[in-house]
Amino acid sequence: MKVLVIGANGQIGHLIVESLQKADDFIPVAMVRKEEQVAALKERSVDTVLSDLEGPVEDLAKAMEGIDAVVFTAGSGGKTGDDKTLLIDLDGAVKCIEAAEKTGVKRFVMISALQANNRENWNDSLRPYYVAKHYADRMLEMSSLDYTIIRPGGLLNEPGTGKVNAGGQLDRSTIPRADVAQTVLEVLKTNRTIQKSFDLVSGDDSIADALRKV
């Protein structure tokens, strides 16, 4: 399976690419927007494609040619303003959904945010970010794609434990980025989570067992 990782230069994206490289039957393709990022990925023997989430849908569709699945893990980052959050986390995500439909790529995995589906539990200081995630997720749910939406808790730069809790609405907690990446890999291995959305935090179940309960 050839998997386009959108946001491959980010921390989770980097780990997803690495996990896909190590797994059997997967070929990661890293989508980045800068030439220097392409060079760095090629040094790791990663196939790359150059495209920009602020560009037209047609360009994103070209980046998806020959792709079997898309993982969207791009984000504007904490150092940009609300305008970039709208352009990347919302409009960029929606354009990728449109591009996948245009190209005929059915499988789409979205990395969202814990309880983005639940307005009552949004962090006030991050409200524009949650608004962007909420409506990007809604657009994916209304699309024709075979989607899975993963809503991880607070992200940690710690070694993965391989133990998680996954469910419709979990208490606010944290999870290593490495475990999010492994969850993406497990999601791509099975059709069990198609048309499903779930929160994800560190817990007691193996990732495979947790996904069986979703």
Side-chain angles (χ1 to χ4, degrees), residues 71-88:
V71 177
F72 187 94
T73 184
S76 57
K79 296 181 181 178
T80 60
D82 295 343
D83 57 338
K84 283 294 184 183
T85 301
L86 285 174
L87 290 170
I88 302 300

Side-chain angles (χ1 to χ4, degrees), residues 10-194:
Q11 293 183 76
I12 292 178
H14 177 96
L15 292 168
I16 292 170
V17 168
E18 194 174 77
S19 295
L20 291 168
Q21 266 192 308
K22 292 176 180 176
D24 293 334
D25 303 322
F26 289 98
I27 301 171
V29 179
M31 192 185 105
V32 293
R33 64 186 180 88
K34 295 180 180 179
E35 288 286 358
E36 57 266 32
Q37 295 168 343
V38 172
L41 285 157
K42 284 185 175 178
E43 286 182 7
R44 294 163 47 201
S45 301
V46 178
D47 292 342
T48 60
V49 62
L50 195 65
S51 196
D52 191 337
L53 290 173
E54 295 187 56
V57 172
E58 290 72 21
D59 287 356
L60 294 167
K62 287 178 184 176
M64 294 182 189
E65 290 176 359
I67 293 296
D68 301 303
V70 170
V71 177
F72 187 94
T73 184
S76 57
K79 296 181 181 178
T80 60
D82 295 343
D83 57 338
K84 283 294 184 183
T85 301
L86 285 174
L87 290 170
I88 302 300
D89 298 72
L90 177 51
D91 193 48
V94 172
K95 285 193 288 189
C96 288
I97 293 164
E98 294 174 5
E101 289 184 312
K102 184 184 289 285
T103 313
V105 179
K106 294 296 292 181
R107 194 74 174 97
F108 198 108
V109 179
M110 177 80 84
I111 306 299
S112 182
L114 188 77
Q115 297 191 12
N117 61 320
N118 187 359
R119 290 188 183 93
E120 287 71 28
N121 288 333
W122 290 354
N123 184 322
D124 283 342
S125 65
L126 296 173
R127 204 163 188 81
Y129 168 77
Y130 277 99
V131 169
K133 292 298 184 186
H134 178 84
Y135 285 101
D137 294 352
R138 289 272 296 272
M139 292 300 291
L140 180 55
E141 289 170 338
M142 290 188 289
S143 75
S144 64
L145 303 178
D146 292 338
Y147 70 84
T148 302
I149 299 170
I150 302 171
R151 301 189 296 260
L155 299 167
L156 304 174
N157 288 325
E158 297 178 357
T161 66
K163 297 289 186 179
V164 302
N165 283 342
Q169 186 171 321
L170 302 178
D171 290 337
R172 210 166 277 286
S173 189
T174 58
I175 185 169
R177 287 179 170 86
D179 284 334
V180 178
Q182 279 301 124
T183 300
V184 169
L185 179 61
E186 290 298 325
V187 159
L188 289 170
K189 287 180 178 179
T190 176
N191 293 332
R192 188 178 293 111
T193 62
I194 287 177

